[in-house]
Amino acid sequence: MKKSARKPGSWLGWPWKRSAKAATEADPATPAPAGERHLALAQDSLRRLLDDPGLPVGVREALAPEFAEVERMLQKLEQGEIHIAVLGEVSVGKSSLLNALLGEARFATSALHGETRETAEARWQETRSGQVCLLDTPGINEVGGEARERMAREVAERADLVLFVVDGDLNASEQAALEQALAPGRPVVLVLNKADRYTAEERAQLLARLAERTRGRLPPEQVVAAAADPAPARRIVLGPDGSEREERTVLPPDVEALRERLWQILEREGDTLSALTAGLFAGEVSERVGRRVVELRREAAGRLVRQYCIAKGVAVAINPVPAADLLAAAAIDAGMVFHLSRLYGLPLSRAEAGSLVTVIATQMTVLMGTVWLTHLISAALKAGTAGLSTVFTAGAQGAVAYYGTYLIGRVAEEYFARGKSWGAGGPKAVVQEILESVDRDSVLAQARADLAGRLRARA
């Protein structure tokens, strides 16, 4: 086998990584190679994730495992590592295949199914390999091995290149797992292992069938045959006395075609492979961070809205002056919206918060005027009896006030969650959506419970 000549600065040299910035500084007139630019962009994405000053309190702690993995991914890029993971069903010879590539038995093998129970790693000790690591994974179809299967898939998702190993035509389980491995655009080499079990004609037919099943998803040259642990060759030997005896000859592994295919991919795309994996991973973590930020904001907004609901309900319940009720209600609702805007990082002035409350309340009055009518009737009842009916109306009016503030808070929260936008349907559509999603009876029950507790505490 003729070995490729090393190119200065390529991934085969040592050190084989240079950042795009370093390359440009060395020769400002010469742009960095595409792979190095991709790598620098991926590193920058990961650093931005780690150093983002805008993350709300609690997000980094809640996603500690993900951020630790970001750290490991960044170290992997900076150290110039390429990770190749093997994936496949139990007993297709994944560990044997990696041992054959390594030239030594580094990964455990056994005649029993499911020998590999956790991820194992070894550096590929070849002069051409640079910082290439081979990762062994558990089988993806072991009975009772759901956790190990999940581990195998997660390792494959973090790898720069996947060796998907089969020992025959694809079954339904393998087809589904292969589609999943191919989905993000990560390079995959489909390896027909135990190829020595087939005749040359059968082997050619199987490779053609596998290439056909992956047509459009996998280049035909990335469907490769191998024999990691060939069955011993047997022959009958005649002795001098005419007796016969059987001799068994141990055959060496046949992984040369696979080895060459891997070198071609790595020499051509080494930097880009690392950048692609890091980019995919950064995107996944960004999505998780985004979802967690939304969850935390929703949780904090829920607590904030409830606090204002109680404050407004109590204020309305204990104040016998109708005009003061209305003024207190408006001030409390505006204060709630003012604080919600800051929670979502979209601050409003207090005047703007008051205007937003007016918009929401107007739409609520159009859609559910009877609730507000009840509020006004109760207020009028207080005035007409010089406050003597307060003891009878306060609890009910306070619960209605609580409910109104709850709805205003939910609508305002949706407005901020959409980036200070009502969307195509305008405020009426958002108010209608919230009204349909809220269980009024449960909110009123919660209001009565919250207010009863606060009013008893003040008695």
Side-chain angles (χ1 to χ4, degrees):
M1 176 181 68
K2 183 179 178 181
K3 295 189 177 182
S4 304
R6 295 188 180 184
K7 299 176 183 179
S10 75
W11 77 274
L12 295 175
W14 177 258
W16 63 273
K17 290 289 181 189
R18 290 191 306 166
S19 69
K21 180 180 178 183
T24 303
E25 289 175 349
D27 185 358
T30 304
E36 291 181 356
R37 293 198 302 273
H38 296 160
L39 194 65
L41 288 171
Q43 289 173 313
D44 184 61
S45 296
L46 294 177
R47 287 195 186 95
R48 286 176 183 273
L49 271 176
L50 290 173
D51 303 332
D52 184 0
L55 285 180
V57 176
V59 171
R60 196 176 298 275
E61 291 77 9
L63 296 176
E66 285 83 352
F67 277 92
E69 200 164 351
V70 171
E71 289 275 13
R72 288 193 294 272
M73 182 71 73
L74 187 56
Q75 290 173 4
K76 169 179 170 289
L77 292 180
E78 291 174 343
Q79 293 169 6
E81 292 183 359
I82 294 282
H83 286 183
I84 301 177
V86 65
L87 189 66
E89 293 194 339
V90 171
S91 79
V92 294
K94 301 185 299 296
S95 302
S96 297
L97 187 68
L98 295 183
N99 286 337
L101 288 172
L102 286 167
E104 57 180 305
R106 296 286 299 279
F107 297 101
T109 60
S110 169
L112 300 175
H113 287 188
E115 174 65 23
T116 302
R117 295 185 173 272
E118 58 185 24
T119 302
E121 176 182 332
R123 291 190 181 278
W124 200 350
Q125 300 297 329
E126 290 255 353
T127 57
R128 296 169 59 185
S129 66
Q131 292 290 314
V132 180
C133 294
L134 302 180
L135 307 176
D136 197 9
T137 65
I140 59 174
N141 66 328
E142 184 180 356
V143 176
E146 291 79 7
R148 290 193 291 276
E149 176 174 345
R150 186 165 54 252
M151 178 202 310
R153 293 178 188 272
E154 289 173 354
V155 170
E157 288 173 0
R158 300 289 174 264
D160 303 304
L161 191 153
V162 172
L163 302 182
F164 196 96
V165 184
V166 298
D167 60 5
D169 196 7
L170 290 170
N171 59 38
S173 173
E174 289 172 324
Q175 183 76 50
L178 179 57
E179 290 296 323
Q180 185 178 352
L182 287 166
R186 182 179 294 102
V188 174
V189 176
L190 179 55
V191 184
L192 173 63
N193 195 24
K194 304 183 182 180
D196 57 299
R197 300 190 308 184
Y198 304 100
T199 65
E201 182 180 354
E202 290 171 337
R203 187 161 54 248
Q205 290 175 347
L206 257 179
L207 289 173
R209 193 175 306 156
L210 292 171
E212 178 61 26
R213 291 190 185 280
T214 56
R215 186 170 57 170
R217 307 294 307 282
L218 200 60
E221 63 271 17
Q222 285 178 211
V223 180
V224 181
D229 187 17
R234 293 179 174 85
R235 64 172 183 163
I236 302 299
V237 178
L238 290 175
D241 58 355
S243 62
E244 296 181 352
R245 60 184 177 84
E246 181 182 83
E247 279 190 355
R248 301 177 59 181
T249 303
V250 176
L251 299 176
D254 181 7
V255 293
E256 199 58 31
L258 173 60
R259 193 192 309 271
E260 281 304 305
R261 173 53 50 194
L262 292 178
W263 293 141
Q264 290 169 13
I265 293 172
L266 294 176
E267 289 175 356
R268 184 179 66 243
E269 304 174 24
D271 286 346
T272 300
L273 290 181
S274 292
L276 172 63
T277 304
L280 290 170
F281 179 64
E284 291 172 11
V285 174
S286 294
E287 288 180 8
R288 289 183 218 168
V289 168
R291 287 195 297 270
R292 187 55 182 153
V293 167
V294 170
E295 289 170 5
L296 289 173
R297 280 176 173 163
R298 292 282 191 189
E299 292 168 5
R303 292 191 296 270
L304 180 67
V305 168
R306 186 177 177 189
Q307 289 169 2
Y308 273 93
C309 287
I310 294 172
K312 181 177 174 182
V314 170
V316 169
I318 65 175
N319 194 332
V321 182
D325 281 357
L326 298 176
L327 291 173
I332 290 172
D333 290 342
M336 175 182 64
V337 170
F338 175 81
H339 284 106
L340 280 173
S341 72
R342 275 152 177 72
L343 177 63
Y344 276 86
L346 301 167
L348 300 177
S349 67
R350 290 193 178 272
E352 290 172 327
S355 297
L356 182 58
V357 169
T358 301
V359 170
I360 297 171
T362 300
Q363 296 303 323
M364 288 171 60
T365 301
V366 170
L367 293 168
M368 49 175 293
T370 55
V371 172
W372 298 113
L373 182 61
T374 301
H375 186 150
L376 293 174
I377 289 174
S378 296
L381 181 59
K382 283 185 181 181
T385 60
L388 295 178
S389 67
T390 299
V391 69
F392 302 106
T393 63
Q397 190 183 356
V400 170
Y402 181 114
Y403 179 64
T405 292
Y406 177 80
L407 292 176
I408 288 174
R410 286 289 307 277
V411 174
E413 184 187 347
E414 188 63 27
Y415 173 75
F416 293 125
R418 297 183 183 191
K420 290 173 67 174
S421 170
W422 292 117
K428 184 175 181 179
V430 176
V431 172
Q432 183 69 55
E433 179 184 330
I434 296 300
L435 285 174
E436 291 174 353
S437 69
V438 169
D439 183 346
R440 184 181 62 185
D441 292 339
S442 66
V443 174
L444 288 173
Q446 182 66 57
R448 286 192 293 270
D450 286 344
L451 294 179
R454 291 299 177 94
L455 291 172
R456 279 196 301 268
R458 297 177 66 91

